Amino acid sequence: MDDLKKFIWNMPKAELHLHIEGSLEPELMFALARRNKVEIPFATVEEVRDAYQFSNLQDFLDIYYQGMSVLLEEQDFYDLTFAYLTKMHEQNVIHVEIFFDPQGHTDRGITFATVIAGITRALSDGLEKYGITSNLIMSFLRHLSEDAAFATLAEALPYRDRIIAVGLDSSEMGHPPSKFARVFEKAKAEGFLAVAHAGEEGPPEYVCEALDLLKVDRLDHGNRALEDAALVMRLAESQIALTVCPLSNYKLAGVTDMRAHPIKKMLELGLKATVNSDDPAYFGGYMNENFEAITESLNLTKEEILNLARNGFEASFCSDTEKQAMISRLEAYGA
Ligand code: ADE
Ligand code: ZN
């Protein structure tokens, strides 16, 4: 395993499913709470980490939205994003596609402009200092209304050149993709690509809706698609990528034993599965820790590891030329 760990660590990788607010480590949460004079209900970093015990998605989301309350100024969003990029540089991640949840901030009185300025300034520094390329995805909170999503889309239009896609996240059960079909139709007409969390906790029907009604270019999670054989065939034929998040699935109890994690099965079924961290500060690991966990529990070979990394580059929203350059780097590494 030590040899494989080293192989994973040094391998060039892309991350396609990362909520920037979910990369807020307890240490930075405390520092920002102090800087901004925000009260948080924890006395120590250890207390924060101890609170990260989740039995489902909603348990996590309650703590995740509370954690965001320390983010107030443009510099806070910069520090958050740059800390993540520094970590990715250490882990040999060369391309990232990052979600942000504007409604988690605008609903607290922070302007859309503040959020996007801090994040995009860090992304351009990440390119300059680390050579990490990036794309930004704006997610709608699905527990909020269609009207609220439309208003958020309108706020995003002036920043159209900095946002590559729209996404859909937050509480899945009871908030099917169909609720946002019209918003996604408008977003697509405005030139955004589309992704959506589907089949994380929700049934295979939600995955079908994400494909048919939201016309997603990529699916986030998609685990429960495996319950529907026809859907599996459709995903295999279309090669729509799944951004799978192994440690997240484990921490949110969608998968109770990592040895039963479905990612290896997905590959065997011909699905384009990728490895991602989702909310690494909350789920116990970034990209390399996710690769390590599945490699260990599923006995993955170097070939399977390389295959997953290649899928990450292929499923990115980069141009074909950019994808080919990254894949060539991976191939050179594998050889
Ligand atoms: N927001 C942040 N992480 C999420 C996840 N794993 N599922 C849904 N919404 C989220
Ligand atoms: Zn997610």
Side-chain angles (χ1 to χ4, degrees):
M1 186 65 199
D2 279 355
D3 177 47
L4 282 178
K5 264 194 181 172
K6 209 169 138 200
F7 183 74
I8 289 166
W9 196 273
N10 292 319
M11 178 174 68
K13 292 165 289 279
E15 168 140 76
L16 306 180
H17 184 152
L18 178 279
H19 302 266
I20 196 61
E21 298 90 347
S23 72
L24 178 61
E25 290 287 346
E27 288 78 5
L28 184 58
M29 191 190 292
F30 267 88
L32 295 180
R34 215 170 298 124
R35 187 157 98 191
N36 292 329
K37 304 186 174 48
V38 174
E39 294 230 12
I40 52 173
F42 304 108
T44 63
V45 163
E46 290 67 42
E47 241 180 60
V48 182
R49 289 220 160 83
D50 287 347
Y52 292 175
Q53 314 281 345
F54 316 115
S55 52
N56 55 41
L57 176 58
Q58 194 59 50
D59 267 9
F60 155 70
L61 289 169
D62 293 342
I63 283 203
Y64 166 82
Y65 293 123
Q66 188 202 301
M68 282 183 205
S69 67
V70 301
L71 299 164
L72 298 183
E73 309 291 338
E74 192 254 17
Q75 188 63 39
D76 306 337
F77 291 93
Y78 176 93
D79 291 345
L80 172 70
T81 308
F82 198 73
Y84 165 69
L85 294 170
T86 300
K87 199 101 191 179
M88 291 306 88
H89 178 58
E90 290 162 10
Q91 296 209 348
N92 290 301
V93 171
I94 62 172
H95 177 73
V96 298
E97 303 199 341
I98 294 182
F99 293 113
F100 73 116
D101 284 335
Q103 291 157 296
H105 313 298
T106 53
D107 285 4
R108 300 182 287 115
I110 319 294
T111 68
F112 196 101
T114 299
V115 179
I116 202 144
I119 295 174
T120 58
R121 183 160 64 87
L123 293 178
S124 68
D125 281 359
L127 177 62
E128 192 181 309
K129 298 205 169 95
Y130 303 136
I132 297 177
T133 53
S134 60
N135 286 315
L136 190 56
I137 305 172
M138 170 178 93
S139 261
F140 300 113
L141 298 184
R142 70 202 306 159
H143 67 276
L144 300 178
S145 69
E146 181 197 37
D147 277 352
F150 268 121
T152 301
L153 179 58
E155 282 204 273
L157 292 182
Y159 307 100
R160 174 67 201 82
D161 58 327
R162 303 195 210 178
I163 301 171
I164 198 156
V166 295
L168 188 63
D169 64 6
S170 194
S171 321
E172 187 178 8
M173 295 303 274
H175 302 284
S178 52
K179 179 175 168 187
F180 298 94
R182 297 189 299 187
V183 179
F184 272 62
E185 189 184 355
K186 172 101 182 356
K188 283 228 142 178
E190 293 286 353
F192 293 96
L193 295 171
V195 298
H197 284 53
E200 181 184 18
E201 282 190 342
E205 290 74 27
Y206 284 22
V207 177
C208 294
E209 284 189 13
L211 296 170
D212 294 329
L213 304 179
L214 306 188
K215 311 230 181 312
V216 294
D217 298 284
R218 198 162 73 199
L219 269 169
D220 295 315
H221 297 291
N223 297 37
R224 289 196 60 195
L226 296 186
E227 295 167 24
D228 178 339
L231 178 56
V232 168
M233 260 175 51
R234 180 178 178 188
L235 292 171
E237 274 165 22
S238 63
Q239 287 292 290
I240 291 234
L242 309 183
T243 63
V244 181
C245 306
L247 289 174
S248 165
N249 297 151
Y250 182 68
K251 286 285 179 175
L252 300 185
V255 170
T256 48
D257 181 344
M258 280 302 279
R259 287 169 300 182
H261 193 280
I263 195 161
K264 188 166 169 152
K265 173 120 188 268
M266 288 171 172
L267 291 180
E268 286 162 4
L269 290 166
L271 305 187
K272 199 174 200 62
T274 65
V275 177
N276 307 274
S277 72
D278 208 2
D279 300 283
Y282 292 90
F283 301 148
Y286 288 76
M287 281 292 280
N288 287 348
E289 290 80 11
N290 273 275
F291 265 104
E292 280 169 21
I294 53 172
T295 298
E296 185 144 38
S297 58
L298 303 172
N299 287 311
L300 298 187
T301 62
K302 270 189 189 172
E303 202 179 346
E304 286 166 321
I305 295 166
L306 283 167
N307 210 356
L308 286 163
R310 169 187 274 269
N311 286 349
F313 293 128
E314 283 177 355
S316 75
F317 290 146
C318 296
S319 70
D320 286 344
T321 319
E322 291 165 327
K323 285 184 195 178
Q324 198 45 60
M326 295 189 291
I327 291 166
S328 297
R329 272 177 79 171
L330 180 68
E331 283 171 351
Y333 179 77

